[in-house]
Amino acid sequence: MLSIQNLSLQIGGRAILKNLNFELSPGQKLALIGPNGAGKSSLFNVISGKIPFQSGRIYLNQIDISEQSAHQISRLGLSRSFQTSQLFPRLSVFDNLCCASMWRTRRTHATNPGKGYAFWRRLSGRKEVIENAEHILDLLKLHEKRQVYPVHLTYVEQRCLEIGMCIASDAQYILLDEPTAGMGQHETRLVVNLLNWLGPDKSLVVIEHDMQMVFNFADQIAVMDQGQIIAWDTPERVRKDPRVQSAFLSPDLFLKDTELSPISSHAKLSRNGAARLEGDE
Ligand SMILES: Nc1ncnc2c1ncn2[C@@H]1O[C@H](COP(=O)(O)OP(=O)(O)OP(=O)(O)O)[C@@H](O)[C@H]1O
């Protein structure tokens, strides 16, 4: 369980998160939505230990992580992706995935001191690492780019690889910040497949503006506005919440089929209303 209690964050004297409470159960797949500036990325920053906060507590599986570093929090099983790519530039696509999968093995052996740190072992002998990396390569359809360095990937391929690495690490809690930003329908579908592949033991929080994407993976939606969570419910109930509809979402959007389609996959949230299409002013 990821539990946030009475969390407040101020930056430069301005309240960014306001006495926020949040509980994510094991296995929950949550979409975090809200207008620009609502505080979604800031919430990820404090959960993952990237920035300190002024008051409140954060617990991960009942361990108080409020004052822990990003590195310590990551070792406790929380993995976070960013809006910009953070890949190993001198490793191939496949080796990047293997590296992330190595972390999986290290955590698996955390109760067996020393074993998980045996980097001197030949990678080719580590069946689990290779199988995991192969599987994610397959889901992301990156086979042809297997030996390519990240710098030679397109932006969208880099984003896919980064999400794959986040998932390959086998963290129990995964936070993704706008994973499909800039992606077309095809890549969005690959990312959705990857998210749906996650087992029931994995908890996921995804900041997402693409509502069709949200309805394709989330079992719950939390709506943020002005540093607070104003609604948290199933997608169906959030759709019908008049407060949410009037503040953020176009009712028309909900009449559409929730399957990904070329137009609707580009629907974005904006304040006052409404879904707009990419390219619209
Ligand atoms: N380092 C910072 N210094 C000053 N203000 C900041 C900083 N980081 C965030 N903010 C402010 O905090 C508020 C919340 O920002 P945040 O990025 O968390 O919102 P968001 O909901 O993720 O928005 P978006 O969807 O646009 O990414 C914004 O008003 C932003 O300007």
Side-chain angles (χ1 to χ4, degrees):
M1 168 87 77
L2 172 64
S3 173
I4 295 172
Q5 298 174 4
N6 305 317
L7 180 76
S8 293
L9 168 73
Q10 285 110 39
I11 300 179
R14 190 167 147 239
I16 306 296
L17 301 176
K18 300 170 189 165
N19 204 30
L20 192 136
N21 290 287
F22 180 110
E23 280 203 345
L24 187 75
S25 309
Q28 202 163 20
K29 309 291 188 277
L30 179 78
L32 185 58
I33 68 170
N36 293 338
K40 305 178 296 294
S41 297
S42 299
L43 178 60
F44 272 22
N45 286 339
V46 294
I47 294 173
S48 59
K50 192 176 174 218
I51 57 172
F53 52 95
Q54 282 75 27
S55 62
R57 305 310 293 173
I58 305 178
Y59 298 91
L60 188 64
N61 292 335
Q62 289 159 348
I63 297 170
D64 189 343
I65 59 167
S66 310
E67 267 106 42
Q68 303 229 23
S69 67
H71 178 68
Q72 288 170 318
I73 293 168
S74 164
R75 294 211 61 181
L76 288 169
L78 187 139
S79 178
R80 187 234 162 124
S81 78
F82 294 85
Q83 284 170 303
T84 50
S85 287
Q86 296 196 329
L87 304 169
F88 298 115
R90 293 176 187 277
L91 294 179
S92 69
V93 166
F94 186 69
D95 288 344
N96 264 278
L97 286 170
C98 282
C99 253
S101 300
M102 290 281 279
W103 181 251
R104 167 196 182 99
T105 317
R106 287 174 67 180
R107 288 206 318 108
T108 304
H109 294 303
T111 52
N112 192 352
K115 193 173 178 185
Y117 294 91
F119 284 118
W120 45 266
R121 287 186 186 178
R122 286 169 60 84
L123 187 60
S124 58
R126 304 193 70 150
K127 197 162 168 273
E128 185 192 343
V129 167
I130 291 181
E131 279 178 1
N132 191 49
E134 291 281 10
H135 195 67
I136 290 169
L137 199 68
D138 188 38
L139 281 166
L140 292 173
K141 307 269 182 252
L142 281 172
H143 286 112
E144 288 178 13
K145 304 291 171 81
R146 182 189 187 92
Q147 299 303 339
V148 168
Y149 290 121
V151 70
H152 298 304
L153 296 176
T154 64
Y155 168 76
V156 166
E157 288 168 340
Q158 288 180 0
R159 295 282 301 148
C160 283
L161 178 58
E162 188 209 351
I163 295 160
M165 289 176 67
C166 205
I167 282 164
S169 69
D170 200 31
Q172 189 186 358
Y173 295 88
I174 297 166
L175 312 182
L176 301 178
D177 196 343
E178 298 192 40
T180 61
M183 288 186 186
Q185 187 190 9
H186 173 68
E187 295 82 10
T188 300
R189 199 181 291 277
L190 296 179
V191 172
V192 169
N193 286 345
L194 193 62
L195 300 187
N196 287 329
W197 170 70
L198 286 172
D201 54 325
K202 301 293 173 60
S203 304
L204 182 68
V205 187
V206 181
I207 295 174
E208 188 54 69
H209 289 273
D210 180 333
M211 294 310 296
Q212 300 302 328
M213 155 90 177
V214 164
F215 293 128
N216 274 285
F217 83 89
D219 52 33
Q220 299 260 295
I221 296 178
V223 186
M224 265 190 93
D225 188 27
Q226 299 182 35
Q228 292 177 314
I229 290 178
I230 62 161
W232 182 317
D233 217 321
T234 60
E236 279 312 308
R237 290 212 183 107
V238 167
R239 280 171 192 238
K240 290 177 186 152
D241 187 325
R243 222 169 22 146
V244 176
Q245 281 196 359
S246 64
F248 308 111
L249 303 170
S250 161
D252 292 348
L253 183 67
F254 296 142
L255 299 175
K256 291 177 184 165
D257 190 349
T258 55
E259 285 297 307
L260 292 170
S261 65
I263 293 176
S264 57
S265 70
H266 293 284
K268 303 279 179 185
L269 290 179
S270 63
R271 211 176 213 319
N272 310 322
R276 63 180 169 77
L277 298 181
E278 272 186 348
D280 286 359
E281 291 303 317

mmCIF file of all heavy atoms in Angstrom, residues 40-59:
data_model
loop_
_atom_site.group_PDB
_atom_site.id
_atom_site.type_symbol
_atom_site.label_atom_id
_atom_site.label_comp_id
_atom_site.label_asym_id
_atom_site.label_seq_id
_atom_site.Cartn_x
_atom_site.Cartn_y
_atom_site.Cartn_z
ATOM 1 N N LYS A 40 0.088 17.527 -10.401
ATOM 2 C CA LYS A 40 0.269 16.081 -10.626
ATOM 3 C C LYS A 40 1.744 15.685 -10.617
ATOM 4 O O LYS A 40 2.141 14.754 -9.912
ATOM 5 C CB LYS A 40 -0.382 15.673 -11.972
ATOM 6 C CG LYS A 40 -1.848 16.068 -12.088
ATOM 7 C CD LYS A 40 -2.446 15.699 -13.431
ATOM 8 C CE LYS A 40 -1.855 16.403 -14.627
ATOM 9 N NZ LYS A 40 -2.086 17.866 -14.677
ATOM 10 N N SER A 41 2.556 16.398 -11.409
ATOM 11 C CA SER A 41 3.988 16.061 -11.433
ATOM 12 C C SER A 41 4.639 16.349 -10.085
ATOM 13 O O SER A 41 5.540 15.620 -9.652
ATOM 14 C CB SER A 41 4.712 16.852 -12.532
ATOM 15 O OG SER A 41 4.206 16.496 -13.785
ATOM 16 N N SER A 42 4.194 17.399 -9.426
ATOM 17 C CA SER A 42 4.741 17.710 -8.103
ATOM 18 C C SER A 42 4.446 16.571 -7.131
ATOM 19 O O SER A 42 5.293 16.205 -6.305
ATOM 20 C CB SER A 42 4.137 19.009 -7.562
ATOM 21 O OG SER A 42 4.442 20.075 -8.426
ATOM 22 N N LEU A 43 3.262 15.997 -7.241
ATOM 23 C CA LEU A 43 2.921 14.863 -6.377
ATOM 24 C C LEU A 43 3.882 13.697 -6.644
ATOM 25 O O LEU A 43 4.399 13.074 -5.710
ATOM 26 C CB LEU A 43 1.461 14.446 -6.620
ATOM 27 C CG LEU A 43 0.956 13.247 -5.823
ATOM 28 C CD1 LEU A 43 1.057 13.513 -4.314
ATOM 29 C CD2 LEU A 43 -0.483 12.908 -6.191
ATOM 30 N N PHE A 44 4.142 13.412 -7.910
ATOM 31 C CA PHE A 44 5.113 12.358 -8.256
ATOM 32 C C PHE A 44 6.500 12.704 -7.682
ATOM 33 O O PHE A 44 7.212 11.834 -7.185
ATOM 34 C CB PHE A 44 5.232 12.213 -9.775
ATOM 35 C CG PHE A 44 4.238 11.255 -10.373
ATOM 36 C CD1 PHE A 44 3.064 10.924 -9.726
ATOM 37 C CD2 PHE A 44 4.474 10.678 -11.617
ATOM 38 C CE1 PHE A 44 2.148 10.039 -10.293
ATOM 39 C CE2 PHE A 44 3.574 9.785 -12.193
ATOM 40 C CZ PHE A 44 2.403 9.476 -11.520
ATOM 41 N N ASN A 45 6.864 13.985 -7.786
ATOM 42 C CA ASN A 45 8.188 14.395 -7.293
ATOM 43 C C ASN A 45 8.352 14.133 -5.796
ATOM 44 O O ASN A 45 9.405 13.682 -5.352
ATOM 45 C CB ASN A 45 8.426 15.885 -7.577
ATOM 46 C CG ASN A 45 8.714 16.145 -9.042
ATOM 47 O OD1 ASN A 45 9.115 15.239 -9.771
ATOM 48 N ND2 ASN A 45 8.509 17.373 -9.487
ATOM 49 N N VAL A 46 7.307 14.411 -5.035
ATOM 50 C CA VAL A 46 7.451 14.177 -3.595
ATOM 51 C C VAL A 46 7.373 12.685 -3.265
ATOM 52 O O VAL A 46 8.139 12.196 -2.431
ATOM 53 C CB VAL A 46 6.445 14.984 -2.733
ATOM 54 C CG1 VAL A 46 6.700 16.466 -2.832
ATOM 55 C CG2 VAL A 46 5.026 14.675 -3.060
ATOM 56 N N ILE A 47 6.502 11.943 -3.952
ATOM 57 C CA ILE A 47 6.403 10.501 -3.664
ATOM 58 C C ILE A 47 7.740 9.824 -3.948
ATOM 59 O O ILE A 47 8.214 8.980 -3.176
ATOM 60 C CB ILE A 47 5.298 9.824 -4.526
ATOM 61 C CG1 ILE A 47 3.917 10.330 -4.156
ATOM 62 C CG2 ILE A 47 5.351 8.291 -4.346
ATOM 63 C CD1 ILE A 47 2.801 9.841 -5.079
ATOM 64 N N SER A 48 8.361 10.198 -5.061
ATOM 65 C CA SER A 48 9.597 9.510 -5.470
ATOM 66 C C SER A 48 10.841 10.069 -4.801
ATOM 67 O O SER A 48 11.947 9.615 -5.085
ATOM 68 C CB SER A 48 9.741 9.573 -6.996
ATOM 69 O OG SER A 48 9.781 10.914 -7.421
ATOM 70 N N GLY A 49 10.675 11.048 -3.913
ATOM 71 C CA GLY A 49 11.822 11.560 -3.153
ATOM 72 C C GLY A 49 12.649 12.576 -3.916
ATOM 73 O O GLY A 49 13.747 12.921 -3.509
ATOM 74 N N LYS A 50 12.105 13.077 -5.028
ATOM 75 C CA LYS A 50 12.878 14.029 -5.826
ATOM 76 C C LYS A 50 12.922 15.407 -5.169
ATOM 77 O O LYS A 50 13.927 16.105 -5.243
ATOM 78 C CB LYS A 50 12.266 14.129 -7.229
ATOM 79 C CG LYS A 50 13.171 14.865 -8.185
ATOM 80 C CD LYS A 50 12.610 14.890 -9.582
ATOM 81 C CE LYS A 50 13.486 15.770 -10.481
ATOM 82 N NZ LYS A 50 12.697 16.534 -11.434
ATOM 83 N N ILE A 51 11.815 15.799 -4.566
ATOM 84 C CA ILE A 51 11.829 17.089 -3.858
ATOM 85 C C ILE A 51 11.252 16.894 -2.444
ATOM 86 O O ILE A 51 10.367 16.063 -2.231
ATOM 87 C CB ILE A 51 11.032 18.192 -4.611
ATOM 88 C CG1 ILE A 51 9.579 17.769 -4.855
ATOM 89 C CG2 ILE A 51 11.702 18.560 -5.921
ATOM 90 C CD1 ILE A 51 8.712 18.887 -5.407
ATOM 91 N N PRO A 52 11.789 17.672 -1.477
ATOM 92 C CA PRO A 52 11.265 17.558 -0.107
ATOM 93 C C PRO A 52 9.947 18.321 0.031
ATOM 94 O O PRO A 52 9.647 19.196 -0.770
ATOM 95 C CB PRO A 52 12.362 18.228 0.731
ATOM 96 C CG PRO A 52 13.051 19.163 -0.196
ATOM 97 C CD PRO A 52 12.893 18.625 -1.585
ATOM 98 N N PHE A 53 9.176 17.966 1.022
ATOM 99 C CA PHE A 53 7.909 18.662 1.245
ATOM 100 C C PHE A 53 7.854 19.133 2.697
ATOM 101 O O PHE A 53 8.668 18.727 3.520
ATOM 102 C CB PHE A 53 6.729 17.762 0.890
ATOM 103 C CG PHE A 53 6.761 16.404 1.556
ATOM 104 C CD1 PHE A 53 6.078 16.177 2.745
ATOM 105 C CD2 PHE A 53 7.485 15.369 0.992
ATOM 106 C CE1 PHE A 53 6.101 14.951 3.358
ATOM 107 C CE2 PHE A 53 7.529 14.117 1.617
ATOM 108 C CZ PHE A 53 6.840 13.912 2.801
ATOM 109 N N GLN A 54 6.892 20.001 2.993
ATOM 110 C CA GLN A 54 6.890 20.667 4.296
ATOM 111 C C GLN A 54 6.177 19.866 5.386
ATOM 112 O O GLN A 54 6.634 19.796 6.512
ATOM 113 C CB GLN A 54 6.249 22.055 4.189
ATOM 114 C CG GLN A 54 7.166 23.096 3.584
ATOM 115 C CD GLN A 54 7.330 22.939 2.074
ATOM 116 O OE1 GLN A 54 6.447 22.417 1.407
ATOM 117 N NE2 GLN A 54 8.457 23.383 1.538
ATOM 118 N N SER A 55 5.028 19.275 5.059
ATOM 119 C CA SER A 55 4.326 18.540 6.121
ATOM 120 C C SER A 55 3.551 17.366 5.549
ATOM 121 O O SER A 55 3.247 17.323 4.350
ATOM 122 C CB SER A 55 3.390 19.486 6.884
ATOM 123 O OG SER A 55 2.425 19.994 6.017
ATOM 124 N N GLY A 56 3.237 16.408 6.452
ATOM 125 C CA GLY A 56 2.558 15.181 6.052
ATOM 126 C C GLY A 56 3.537 14.018 6.058
ATOM 127 O O GLY A 56 4.733 14.200 6.318
ATOM 128 N N ARG A 57 2.991 12.821 5.808
ATOM 129 C CA ARG A 57 3.844 11.615 5.777
ATOM 130 C C ARG A 57 3.498 10.779 4.541
ATOM 131 O O ARG A 57 2.358 10.793 4.059
ATOM 132 C CB ARG A 57 3.619 10.716 7.004
ATOM 133 C CG ARG A 57 3.761 11.321 8.363
ATOM 134 C CD ARG A 57 4.995 12.105 8.603
ATOM 135 N NE ARG A 57 6.260 11.371 8.608
ATOM 136 C CZ ARG A 57 7.454 11.985 8.684
ATOM 137 N NH1 ARG A 57 7.535 13.301 8.739
ATOM 138 N NH2 ARG A 57 8.553 11.278 8.681
ATOM 139 N N ILE A 58 4.513 10.030 4.083
ATOM 140 C CA ILE A 58 4.283 9.085 2.976
ATOM 141 C C ILE A 58 4.787 7.716 3.423
ATOM 142 O O ILE A 58 5.915 7.594 3.937
ATOM 143 C CB ILE A 58 5.038 9.510 1.699
ATOM 144 C CG1 ILE A 58 4.669 10.940 1.297
ATOM 145 C CG2 ILE A 58 4.716 8.551 0.549
ATOM 146 C CD1 ILE A 58 5.398 11.459 0.072
ATOM 147 N N TYR A 59 3.944 6.704 3.262
ATOM 148 C CA TYR A 59 4.304 5.332 3.652
ATOM 149 C C TYR A 59 4.239 4.417 2.427
ATOM 150 O O TYR A 59 3.289 4.465 1.643
ATOM 151 C CB TYR A 59 3.340 4.793 4.705
ATOM 152 C CG TYR A 59 3.357 5.590 5.990
ATOM 153 C CD1 TYR A 59 2.484 6.669 6.163
ATOM 154 C CD2 TYR A 59 4.236 5.277 7.020
ATOM 155 C CE1 TYR A 59 2.496 7.424 7.331
ATOM 156 C CE2 TYR A 59 4.252 6.025 8.201
ATOM 157 C CZ TYR A 59 3.385 7.096 8.332
ATOM 158 O OH TYR A 59 3.406 7.836 9.486
#
